[in-house]
Amino acid sequence: MRLIMLGAPGAGKGTQAAKLAVAYNIPHISTGDIFRANIKGGTELGKKAKGYMDAGQLVPDELVCDLVADRIAQEDCTEGFILDGFPRTIPQAEALDAALEKMGLKMDAAVNVDVPDENIIERMGGRRACLKCGATYHMVYAKPQTEGICDKCGSELVLREDDKPETVKTRLGVYHEQTQPLIDYYEKAGILKTVDGTQSLEAVFEGIKAMLG
Ligand code: ADP
Ligand code: AMP
């Protein structure tokens, strides 16, 4: 199963992708997590990406397209994969199609987790992230067992720099302008599936699984 998770920042793509990765036993590939790991590790890529991310802007296409093409060509992606946070622009979607075509493959579905802007601010303000393992929590809707500590790896949870309200507004603007057109792109490709992302975590998960069959 080769899946794309679409949706506004904070819609719940990462939360659902992590659950789907376990259910279908395929890797969860989050470009945001890859960039954050590079920033933490002090790599050249991390240095290039940081300024864009902190400002709520997209990292340039040329820094992300080859990275994803290389990742999906790895051994663990043979049975499928879930892309979370990629593609985010039409040129990225075209680059993905070209990379897949070379491998003789196609995406199976693009799942649009649909959440209106007014719910997003609350979701992002309450989000707490583990920068070590990429796990995500919410202070009200998805609490860790011990406040401020990651259940999975025991690291400290943080409010991401780009989840502060001023940056969230910028990110939503960027989403509407550059990423939302992908909904049409995948509708035309015949693989778009839309789920109501305002439901509970479990209901969204069940809805996606039912659509994927
Ligand atoms: P994205 O990957 O789309 O940016 P996340 O999966 O990180 O979004 O979700 C954003 C925040 O909202 C997180 O704190 C997450 O725990 C919370 N969240 C995700 N899905 C739901 C839901 N269905 N109901 C309530 N909160 C949710
Ligand atoms: P995310 O973790 O998906 O919310 O991504 C956090 C930030 O990483 C985004 O706001 C962008 O700055 C950057 N980013 C992640 N994925 C991409 C992508 N596919 N294209 C451009 N920038 C990206």
Side-chain angles (χ1 to χ4, degrees), residues 5-17 28 30 36 84-85 88 113 115 119-120 122-129 136-143 160 163 171 196-205:
M5 303 303 292
L6 289 178
K13 302 181 295 296
T15 302
Q16 297 301 330
H28 167 196
S30 156
R36 280 184 289 276
D84 162 19
R88 261 182 156 101
V113 184
V115 176
N119 302 46
I120 294 290
E122 191 204 0
R123 291 257 176 112
M124 305 282 253
R127 171 157 69 181
R128 292 296 177 271
T136 295
Y137 302 85
H138 191 280
M139 285 166 71
V140 179
Y141 306 116
K143 291 184 183 177
R160 273 168 45 182
D163 279 352
R171 293 172 70 199
D196 174 2
T198 64
Q199 306 171 89
S200 71
L201 290 165
E202 277 309 318
V204 176
F205 184 52

Coordinates of all heavy atoms in Angstrom, one line a residue, residues 5-17 28 30 36 84-85 88 113 115 119-120 122-129 136-143 160 163 171 196-205, ligand 1:
M5 N -0.5 11.3 2.8 CA -1.4 11.9 3.7 C -1.4 13.4 3.3 O -0.4 14.1 3.3 CB -0.9 11.8 5.2 CG -0.7 10.4 5.7 SD -2.1 9.4 5.6 CE -3.2 10.2 6.8
L6 N -2.6 13.9 3.0 CA -2.8 15.3 2.7 C -3.6 16.0 3.8 O -4.3 15.4 4.5 CB -3.6 15.5 1.4 CG -3.0 15.1 0.1 CD1 -4.0 15.3 -1.0 CD2 -1.8 15.9 -0.2
G7 N -3.4 17.3 3.9 CA -4.2 18.1 4.9 C -3.4 19.2 5.5 O -2.2 19.3 5.3
A8 N -4.1 20.1 6.1 CA -3.4 21.3 6.7 C -2.4 20.9 7.7 O -2.5 19.8 8.3 CB -4.5 22.2 7.2
P9 N -1.5 21.8 8.1 CA -0.6 21.5 9.2 C -1.5 21.4 10.5 O -2.4 22.2 10.7 CB 0.3 22.8 9.3 CG -0.4 23.8 8.5 CD -1.2 23.1 7.5
G10 N -1.3 20.3 11.2 CA -2.1 20.1 12.4 C -3.4 19.4 12.2 O -4.1 19.2 13.1
A11 N -3.6 18.9 11.0 CA -4.9 18.2 10.7 C -4.9 16.8 11.3 O -6.0 16.2 11.5 CB -5.1 18.1 9.2
G12 N -3.7 16.3 11.6 CA -3.7 14.9 12.1 C -3.0 13.9 11.2 O -3.2 12.7 11.4
K13 N -2.3 14.4 10.2 CA -1.7 13.5 9.2 C -0.7 12.6 9.9 O -0.7 11.4 9.7 CB -0.9 14.3 8.2 CG -1.7 15.3 7.4 CD -0.9 16.0 6.4 CE 0.2 16.9 6.9 NZ -0.3 18.0 7.7
G14 N 0.2 13.2 10.8 CA 1.3 12.4 11.4 C 0.7 11.4 12.4 O 1.1 10.2 12.4
T15 N -0.4 11.8 13.1 CA -1.0 10.9 14.1 C -1.6 9.7 13.4 O -1.4 8.5 13.8 CB -2.2 11.7 14.8 OG1 -1.6 12.8 15.4 CG2 -2.9 10.8 15.8
Q16 N -2.3 9.9 12.3 CA -2.9 8.8 11.5 C -1.8 8.0 10.8 O -1.9 6.8 10.8 CB -4.0 9.3 10.6 CG -5.1 10.0 11.2 CD -5.9 9.2 12.2 OE1 -6.0 7.9 12.1 NE2 -6.4 9.8 13.3
A17 N -0.8 8.7 10.2 CA 0.2 7.9 9.5 C 0.9 6.9 10.4 O 1.2 5.8 10.0 CB 1.2 8.9 8.9
H28 N 6.6 4.8 7.8 CA 6.0 6.2 7.9 C 7.1 7.1 7.6 O 8.0 7.3 8.4 CB 5.4 6.4 9.3 CG 5.0 7.8 9.7 ND1 4.8 8.2 10.9 CD2 4.8 8.8 8.9 CE1 4.5 9.4 11.0 NE2 4.4 9.9 9.7
S30 N 8.0 10.9 7.2 CA 7.6 12.3 7.5 C 8.8 13.2 7.1 O 9.9 13.1 7.7 CB 7.3 12.4 8.9 OG 7.4 13.8 9.3
R36 N 13.7 17.8 10.9 CA 14.0 18.1 12.3 C 15.2 17.2 12.8 O 16.0 17.7 13.6 CB 12.8 17.8 13.2 CG 11.8 19.0 13.1 CD 10.6 18.8 14.0 NE 9.7 17.8 13.5 CZ 8.7 18.0 12.6 NH1 8.5 19.2 12.1 NH2 7.9 17.0 12.2
D84 N 4.1 11.5 4.6 CA 3.4 12.4 5.5 C 4.1 13.7 5.4 O 5.3 13.9 5.8 CB 3.5 11.8 7.0 CG 3.2 12.8 8.1 OD1 2.6 13.9 7.8 OD2 3.6 12.5 9.2
G85 N 3.4 14.7 4.8 CA 4.1 16.1 4.7 C 4.8 16.2 3.3 O 5.4 17.2 3.1
R88 N 4.1 18.7 -1.0 CA 3.4 19.9 -0.5 C 3.2 20.9 -1.6 O 2.7 22.0 -1.3 CB 4.3 20.5 0.6 CG 3.8 20.1 2.0 CD 4.7 20.8 3.0 NE 4.1 21.0 4.3 CZ 4.4 20.3 5.4 NH1 5.1 19.2 5.3 NH2 3.9 20.7 6.5
V113 N -7.0 14.5 5.1 CA -7.6 14.7 6.4 C -8.1 16.1 6.5 O -7.4 17.1 6.6 CB -6.5 14.4 7.5 CG1 -7.1 14.4 8.9 CG2 -5.9 13.0 7.3
V115 N -9.8 19.3 7.9 CA -10.1 20.0 9.2 C -10.1 21.5 8.9 O -9.1 22.0 8.3 CB -9.0 19.7 10.2 CG1 -9.2 20.5 11.5 CG2 -8.9 18.2 10.6
N119 N -10.3 24.9 13.7 CA -9.9 23.8 14.6 C -8.4 23.7 14.7 O -7.8 23.1 15.7 CB -10.4 22.5 14.2 CG -11.9 22.5 14.1 OD1 -12.5 23.4 13.5 ND2 -12.6 21.4 14.6
I120 N -7.7 24.2 13.6 CA -6.3 23.9 13.5 C -5.5 24.7 14.6 O -4.6 24.1 15.2 CB -5.7 24.4 12.1 CG1 -6.3 23.5 11.0 CG2 -4.2 24.4 12.1 CD1 -5.8 22.1 11.0
E122 N -6.3 25.4 17.6 CA -6.4 24.6 18.9 C -5.5 23.4 18.9 O -4.8 23.0 19.8 CB -7.8 24.3 19.2 CG -8.0 23.7 20.6 CD -9.3 22.9 20.7 OE1 -10.0 22.6 19.7 OE2 -9.5 22.4 21.8
R123 N -5.5 22.7 17.7 CA -4.7 21.4 17.6 C -3.3 21.8 17.8 O -2.5 21.0 18.4 CB -5.0 20.8 16.2 CG -6.3 20.3 16.0 CD -6.3 18.8 16.1 NE -7.6 18.2 15.9 CZ -8.1 17.5 14.9 NH1 -7.3 17.3 13.9 NH2 -9.3 17.1 14.9
M124 N -2.8 22.8 17.1 CA -1.4 23.1 17.1 C -0.9 23.7 18.4 O 0.2 23.4 18.9 CB -1.1 24.2 16.0 CG -1.5 23.8 14.7 SD -0.4 22.6 14.0 CE 0.4 23.7 12.8
G125 N -1.7 24.5 19.1 CA -1.4 25.1 20.3 C -1.2 24.0 21.4 O -0.3 24.1 22.3
G126 N -2.0 22.9 21.3 CA -1.9 21.8 22.3 C -0.9 20.7 21.9 O -0.7 19.8 22.7
R127 N -0.4 20.8 20.7 CA 0.5 19.7 20.3 C 1.9 19.8 21.0 O 2.4 20.9 21.2 CB 0.8 19.9 18.8 CG 1.9 18.9 18.3 CD 1.8 18.6 16.8 NE 2.2 19.7 16.0 CZ 2.2 19.6 14.6 NH1 1.8 18.5 14.0 NH2 2.5 20.7 13.9
R128 N 2.3 18.6 21.5 CA 3.7 18.5 22.1 C 4.4 17.4 21.3 O 3.8 16.4 21.0 CB 3.6 18.2 23.6 CG 3.0 19.3 24.4 CD 3.8 20.6 24.5 NE 3.2 21.6 25.2 CZ 2.3 22.5 24.7 NH1 2.0 22.5 23.5 NH2 1.8 23.5 25.5
A129 N 5.6 17.7 21.0 CA 6.4 16.8 20.1 C 7.6 16.3 20.8 O 8.3 17.0 21.6 CB 6.8 17.5 18.8
T136 N 4.1 12.3 18.6 CA 3.3 13.6 18.8 C 2.2 13.3 19.8 O 1.5 12.3 19.8 CB 2.7 14.0 17.4 OG1 3.7 14.3 16.5 CG2 1.8 15.2 17.6
Y137 N 2.0 14.3 20.6 CA 0.9 14.2 21.7 C 0.1 15.5 21.6 O 0.4 16.5 20.9 CB 1.5 14.1 23.1 CG 2.4 12.9 23.2 CD1 3.8 12.9 22.8 CD2 2.0 11.7 23.6 CE1 4.6 11.8 22.8 CE2 2.8 10.6 23.7 CZ 4.1 10.6 23.3 OH 4.9 9.5 23.3
H138 N -1.0 15.5 22.4 CA -1.8 16.7 22.5 C -2.2 16.8 24.0 O -2.5 15.8 24.6 CB -3.1 16.6 21.7 CG -3.8 17.9 21.6 ND1 -4.6 18.4 22.6 CD2 -3.8 18.9 20.6 CE1 -5.1 19.6 22.2 NE2 -4.6 19.9 21.1
M139 N -2.1 18.0 24.5 CA -2.3 18.2 25.9 C -3.7 17.9 26.4 O -4.0 17.6 27.6 CB -2.0 19.7 26.3 CG -0.5 20.0 26.3 SD -0.2 21.7 26.4 CE -0.7 22.1 28.0
V140 N -4.7 17.9 25.5 CA -6.1 17.5 25.8 C -6.5 16.2 25.2 O -7.0 15.3 25.8 CB -7.1 18.6 25.4 CG1 -8.5 18.2 25.7 CG2 -6.7 19.9 26.0
Y141 N -6.2 16.0 23.9 CA -6.7 14.9 23.1 C -5.9 13.6 23.0 O -6.3 12.6 22.7 CB -7.1 15.3 21.7 CG -7.9 16.5 21.7 CD1 -7.5 17.7 21.1 CD2 -9.2 16.5 22.2 CE1 -8.3 18.9 21.1 CE2 -10.1 17.6 22.2 CZ -9.6 18.8 21.6 OH -10.4 19.9 21.6
A142 N -4.6 13.8 23.3 CA -3.7 12.6 23.2 C -2.5 12.8 24.2 O -1.4 13.0 23.8 CB -3.2 12.5 21.8
K143 N -2.9 12.7 25.5 CA -1.9 13.0 26.6 C -0.9 11.9 26.7 O -1.3 10.7 26.6 CB -2.7 13.1 27.9 CG -3.6 14.3 28.0 CD -4.1 14.3 29.5 CE -5.1 15.5 29.7 NZ -5.7 15.5 31.0
R160 N 6.7 22.8 19.5 CA 7.6 23.2 18.4 C 7.6 24.7 18.1 O 6.6 25.3 18.2 CB 7.1 22.4 17.1 CG 7.6 21.0 17.0 CD 6.9 20.2 15.9 NE 6.7 20.9 14.7 CZ 6.1 20.4 13.6 NH1 5.6 19.1 13.7 NH2 5.9 21.0 12.5
D163 N 5.0 25.9 16.0 CA 3.6 25.7 16.4 C 3.1 26.9 17.2 O 2.0 26.9 17.7 CB 3.4 24.4 17.3 CG 3.3 23.2 16.4 OD1 3.2 23.3 15.1 OD2 3.4 22.1 16.9
R171 N 1.7 29.4 8.3 CA 1.7 28.0 7.8 C 0.4 27.7 7.1 O 0.3 27.0 6.1 CB 2.1 27.0 8.9 CG 3.5 27.1 9.4 CD 3.8 26.3 10.5 NE 3.8 24.9 10.2 CZ 3.7 23.9 11.1 NH1 3.5 24.1 12.3 NH2 3.8 22.6 10.7
D196 N -13.3 13.1 7.3 CA -13.6 14.2 8.2 C -12.7 14.1 9.4 O -12.8 13.3 10.3 CB -15.1 14.1 8.7 CG -15.4 15.2 9.7 OD1 -14.6 16.0 10.0 OD2 -16.6 15.1 10.2
G197 N -11.7 15.0 9.4 CA -10.6 15.0 10.4 C -11.0 15.7 11.7 O -10.2 15.7 12.7
T198 N -12.2 16.2 11.8 CA -12.7 16.8 13.1 C -13.2 15.7 14.1 O -13.4 16.0 15.2 CB -13.8 17.8 12.9 OG1 -14.9 17.2 12.4 CG2 -13.3 18.9 11.9
Q199 N -13.3 14.5 13.6 CA -13.8 13.4 14.5 C -12.7 13.0 15.5 O -11.5 13.5 15.3 CB -14.1 12.2 13.7 CG -15.1 12.4 12.6 CD -15.2 11.2 11.7 OE1 -16.0 10.3 11.9 NE2 -14.4 11.1 10.7
S200 N -13.0 12.1 16.4 CA -12.0 11.6 17.3 C -10.9 10.9 16.6 O -11.0 10.5 15.4 CB -12.6 10.7 18.3 OG -12.9 9.4 17.7
L201 N -9.7 10.8 17.2 CA -8.6 10.1 16.6 C -8.9 8.7 16.1 O -8.6 8.3 15.0 CB -7.5 9.9 17.7 CG -6.7 11.1 18.2 CD1 -6.0 10.8 19.5 CD2 -5.8 11.5 17.1
E202 N -9.7 8.0 17.0 CA -10.1 6.6 16.6 C -11.0 6.6 15.4 O -10.9 5.7 14.5 CB -10.7 5.9 17.8 CG -9.7 5.3 18.8 CD -8.7 4.4 18.1 OE1 -9.0 3.6 17.2 OE2 -7.5 4.6 18.5
A203 N -12.0 7.5 15.5 CA -13.0 7.5 14.4 C -12.3 7.9 13.0 O -12.7 7.3 12.0 CB -14.1 8.5 14.7
V204 N -11.4 8.8 13.1 CA -10.7 9.1 11.8 C -9.9 7.9 11.3 O -10.0 7.6 10.1 CB -9.7 10.3 12.1 CG1 -8.9 10.6 10.8 CG2 -10.4 11.6 12.5
F205 N -9.3 7.2 12.2 CA -8.5 6.0 11.9 C -9.4 5.0 11.2 O -9.1 4.4 10.2 CB -7.8 5.5 13.1 CG -6.9 4.3 12.9 CD1 -5.9 4.3 11.9 CD2 -7.0 3.1 13.7 CE1 -5.1 3.3 11.7 CE2 -6.2 2.1 13.4 CZ -5.2 2.1 12.5
Ligands
ADP1 P1 -0.1 17.0 11.3 O1 0.9 15.8 11.2 O2 -1.1 17.0 10.2 O3 0.7 18.3 11.4 P2 -0.6 15.9 14.0 O4 -0.9 14.5 13.7 O5 0.7 16.3 14.6 O6 -0.8 16.9 12.7 O7 -1.8 16.5 14.9 C1 -1.8 17.8 15.4 C2 -2.2 17.8 16.9 O8 -3.6 17.5 17.0 C3 -1.5 16.8 17.7 O9 -1.3 17.4 19.0 C4 -2.4 15.6 17.8 O10 -2.2 14.9 19.0 C5 -3.8 16.3 17.7 N1 -4.8 15.5 17.0 C6 -4.6 14.8 15.8 N2 -5.7 14.2 15.4 C7 -6.7 14.6 16.3 C8 -8.1 14.3 16.5 N3 -8.7 13.6 15.6 N4 -8.7 14.9 17.5 C9 -8.1 15.7 18.4 N5 -6.8 15.9 18.3 C10 -6.1 15.4 17.3

